[in-house]
Amino acid sequence: MQRIACSERDDWRETAEACGFDFHTIDGERYWDERAYYAFSLDEIEQKIEAPTGEIDAMCLELVGRAIRNEDYLKRLKISAGLELRR
């Protein structure tokens, strides 16, 4: 992995907010930071990123499946009972 410095957009705050990302700054500190990006080799992606990402995705889908079948999960996740779920 390589960290590459770059110039940020002049309107990065407005751009983030326009996308609904209004917590780009927390307690005066940047959460969103465009002053650098990361470059990965194909090998890093294939060997170190894809499998763990697939595992996380599967875990999320399993949780969603549990949540829609069990109201206790919805409560723990703070999902409103009035929310209409589409299957």
Side-chain angles (χ1 to χ4, degrees):
M1 174 178 60
Q2 198 176 7
R3 184 178 191 275
I4 301 170
C6 62
S7 300
E8 66 186 1
R9 293 176 281 185
D10 292 335
D11 65 344
W12 69 269
R13 287 177 188 85
E14 294 82 8
T15 299
E17 289 170 5
C19 295
F21 195 83
D22 58 357
F23 55 95
H24 52 72
T25 305
I26 300 174
D27 296 330
E29 296 291 324
R30 290 174 186 242
Y31 178 81
W32 181 270
D33 194 339
E34 294 189 345
R35 296 174 292 182
Y37 65 92
Y38 294 87
F40 298 87
S41 69
L42 180 58
D43 185 61
E44 286 173 316
I45 292 168
E46 291 178 343
Q47 302 302 319
K48 298 179 181 177
I49 295 175
E50 283 186 348
T53 300
E55 289 176 31
I56 292 169
D57 182 58
M59 291 166 62
C60 290
L61 292 174
E62 181 183 343
L63 176 60
V64 168
R66 288 181 187 184
I68 63 174
R69 291 188 303 272
N70 185 327
E71 194 167 321
D72 289 336
Y73 277 95
L74 294 176
K75 289 177 186 174
R76 289 175 61 193
L77 294 168
K78 307 225 184 291
I79 297 175
S80 172
L83 183 64
E84 182 178 319
L85 298 175
R86 295 188 179 137
R87 297 180 190 189

